[in-house]
């Protein structure tokens, strides 16, 4: 994947890419933790830089629901949406309601060249629905 994107293959890039694949919607700190399992000496800045390069190359998608830190996923190119739990912050993928990336076809694009439509569904995840109230 790195070679196809014309990125040099480095150990930190491989490790970060593997971590994002293994932990969809993880934030930088979780990715850092996973990467350090393989490369104990890697710095926070290095992981941050790699995430930025991978995002710019389109290998990784960055999402940031309001009130959340940035999160990363390897599922790119389909403009799928996300549902976020208001209680615990859990995130899951939601496919477009109809077919492939229909939301990118705006009813009137106002002359803009559109490459992303962001829909965030908000609610409560099954675990939080079932949990007894603790507060
Ligand atoms: Zn929840
Ligand atoms: Zn996703």
């Amino acid at each position: 994947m790195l070679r196809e994107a014309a990125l040099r293959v480095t150990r930190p890039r491989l490790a970060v890419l593997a971590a994002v694949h293994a932990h969809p919607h993880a934030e930088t700190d979780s990715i850092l933790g996973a990467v350090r399992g393989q490369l104990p000496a890697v710095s926070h800045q290095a992981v941050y830089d790699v995430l930025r390069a991978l995002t710019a190359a389109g290998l990784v998608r960055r999402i940031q629901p309001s009130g959340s830190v940035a999160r990363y996923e390897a599922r790119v190119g389909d403009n799928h949406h996300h549902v976020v739990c208001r209680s615990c912050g859990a995130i899951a993928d939601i496919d477009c309601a109809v077919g492939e990336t229909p939301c990118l076809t705006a009813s009137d694009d106002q002359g803009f060249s559109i490459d992303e439509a962001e829909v965030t569904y908000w609610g409560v995840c099954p675990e939080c629905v079932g949990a007894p109230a603790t507060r």
Side-chain angles (χ1 to χ4, degrees):
M1 288 176 71
L2 289 167
R3 286 196 193 96
E4 270 173 35
L7 287 177
R8 210 156 44 84
V9 177
T10 64
R11 283 168 60 89
R13 283 177 178 170
L14 287 173
V16 169
L17 203 49
V20 174
H21 274 267
H23 309 281
H25 313 131
E27 76 281 12
T28 310
D29 285 347
S30 312
I31 294 166
L32 179 66
V35 169
R36 282 196 173 145
Q38 289 183 276
L39 303 172
V42 77
S43 71
H44 190 280
Q45 186 62 40
V47 167
Y48 185 83
D49 289 345
V50 168
L51 283 169
R52 207 167 39 185
L54 295 178
T55 304
L59 295 182
V60 160
R61 179 173 167 195
R62 179 185 190 275
I63 60 164
Q64 188 164 17
S66 104
S68 167
V69 295
R71 291 161 180 275
Y72 297 88
E73 65 183 342
R75 182 179 164 184
V76 297
D78 65 355
N79 196 70
H80 68 273
H81 307 310
H82 293 98
V83 59
V84 185
C85 176
R86 288 188 196 280
S87 177
C88 72
I91 299 181
D93 288 338
I94 303 270
D95 289 339
C96 284
V98 187
E100 186 92 339
T101 68
C103 303
L104 290 180
T105 311
S107 52
D108 178 355
D109 63 17
Q110 304 283 345
F112 286 58
S113 168
I114 294 172
D115 58 39
E116 182 170 359
E118 189 174 277
V119 175
T120 304
Y121 299 88
W122 293 90
V124 181
C125 76
E127 270 177 46
C128 291
V129 166
T134 51
R135 274 165 292 200

